[in-house]
Amino acid sequence: MSRTMKFLRTLAVAAFAAPLASFASGPELHLDKAPVSFENKSLQNGAKLFVNYCLNCHGASYLRYNRLKDIGLTEDQIRDNLMFTADKVGEQMKVALQRDEAKQWFGVAPPDLTVIARARASEFGSGADWLYTYLRSFYHDEKRPTGWNNVVFENVGMPHVLWELQGEQVAKFAEKDDGHGNKTKHFEGFELVKPGKMDKAQFDQNVADLVSFIVWMGEPAQQTRKQIGFFVIAVLSLLALVSFLLKKAYWKDVH
Ligand code: HEC
């Protein structure tokens, strides 16, 4: 098969598979709207939760600790409260865990989270809403090796790391028959079986702050890129102007 043919075939497969895949993940997937806030207070709380509860497994390797000055923290605050995986504030937010070890424990290596909000946005429209729903949708499930499952990420390899805060919930499912003998599981709601340290409103607020921070994390890189872009355009325009003036000067006597 020629290269072009192969390419066309891949395109065709992708075009057909894409709608199927999104269909399979379910029209019943309902996402809660994330009350995202980019106020420093929310972002700082989010950063604190992130380094305490997520950075043991997930890296945010495109973000350097000293970037946290952008959300109103001083270098001392960053060093004393948030740096567990680095010695210098110029270092990236690297993960504490070894990648291959993690893979052994969870079956999958926890992905880097720097741009996760944008990655999920391409799939679900809003990365923030997906994250906000995901982090609040863990439920107790004996059948899973970690003891946890998730309504928006079935058979997820990640345990419910915020369970002490949220408490322990179970999910109620109803079976639905489509009239042709095909049974589908339908999510009906959660039931809190063991309360956590926070009530629902507090927990939701904290998850919202965490999600805000994760969304913010994907942005600084984008802003730098934009700045570089403007700089490049400015330099090119200047060069164009200079060469235009030079051309005028050189051809002045020819006419
Ligand atoms: C004990 C290790 C561990 C901790 C701590 C942890 N995770 Fe995870 N996480 C995982 C693993 C493993 C996966 C991969 C799950 C899979 O693909 O089945 C994952 C997946 C995810 C995903 C889905 C990524 C995707 O594929 O889209 C998100 C989002 C996520 N984690 C966010 C968080 C956040 C936020 C925290 C902190 C509150 C956190 N995780 C803490 C292990 C962890």
Side-chain angles (χ1 to χ4, degrees), residues 136-180:
R136 289 155 53 256
S137 296
F138 283 91
Y139 64 92
H140 188 68
D141 183 353
E142 223 102 85
K143 292 198 279 301
R144 299 294 306 153
T146 58
W148 298 101
N149 208 330
N150 193 295
V151 173
V152 295
F153 194 144
E154 218 184 325
N155 297 335
V156 67
M158 172 170 149
H160 184 16
V161 295
L162 300 174
W163 74 272
E164 274 182 323
L165 307 181
Q166 185 183 29
E168 200 178 306
Q169 53 185 12
V170 290
K172 282 179 290 180
F173 292 99
E175 260 194 5
K176 272 206 176 152
D177 201 311
D178 66 355
H180 305 281

Side-chain angles (χ1 to χ4, degrees), residues 24-190:
S25 62
E28 63 172 287
L29 187 68
H30 166 80
L31 297 182
D32 298 331
K33 185 105 198 70
V36 169
S37 151
F38 294 115
E39 300 279 322
N40 281 352
K41 201 170 129 274
S42 295
L43 292 176
Q44 289 174 8
N45 185 36
K48 196 180 81 195
L49 291 164
F50 187 79
V51 295
N52 280 301
Y53 290 99
C54 317
L55 206 55
N56 341 5
C57 293
H58 295 278
S61 54
Y62 300 113
L63 192 73
R64 287 171 198 279
Y65 283 96
N66 53 9
R67 195 98 222 190
L68 298 177
K69 285 194 274 191
D70 293 1
I71 59 173
L73 295 169
T74 66
E75 230 165 71
D76 286 338
Q77 284 173 321
I78 298 171
R79 192 176 298 113
D80 297 343
N81 303 308
L82 299 173
M83 278 175 46
F84 303 124
T85 64
D87 304 320
K88 298 199 199 75
V89 287
E91 279 181 54
Q92 296 130 315
M93 292 188 134
K94 275 187 304 242
V95 61
L97 196 74
Q98 293 294 326
R99 226 185 134 71
D100 38 349
E101 254 176 15
K103 195 154 181 205
Q104 244 169 36
W105 291 345
F106 307 109
V108 243
D112 193 276
L113 291 184
T114 325
V115 293
I116 192 72
R118 278 193 275 153
R120 284 288 175 178
S122 64
E123 202 177 338
F124 292 102
S126 164
D129 293 355
W130 186 86
L131 282 166
Y132 182 66
T133 313
Y134 167 69
L135 292 169
R136 289 155 53 256
S137 296
F138 283 91
Y139 64 92
H140 188 68
D141 183 353
E142 223 102 85
K143 292 198 279 301
R144 299 294 306 153
T146 58
W148 298 101
N149 208 330
N150 193 295
V151 173
V152 295
F153 194 144
E154 218 184 325
N155 297 335
V156 67
M158 172 170 149
H160 184 16
V161 295
L162 300 174
W163 74 272
E164 274 182 323
L165 307 181
Q166 185 183 29
E168 200 178 306
Q169 53 185 12
V170 290
K172 282 179 290 180
F173 292 99
E175 260 194 5
K176 272 206 176 152
D177 201 311
D178 66 355
H180 305 281
N182 298 321
K183 289 198 171 62
T184 48
K185 247 180 22 172
H186 207 80
F187 173 62
E188 299 254 283
F190 293 116

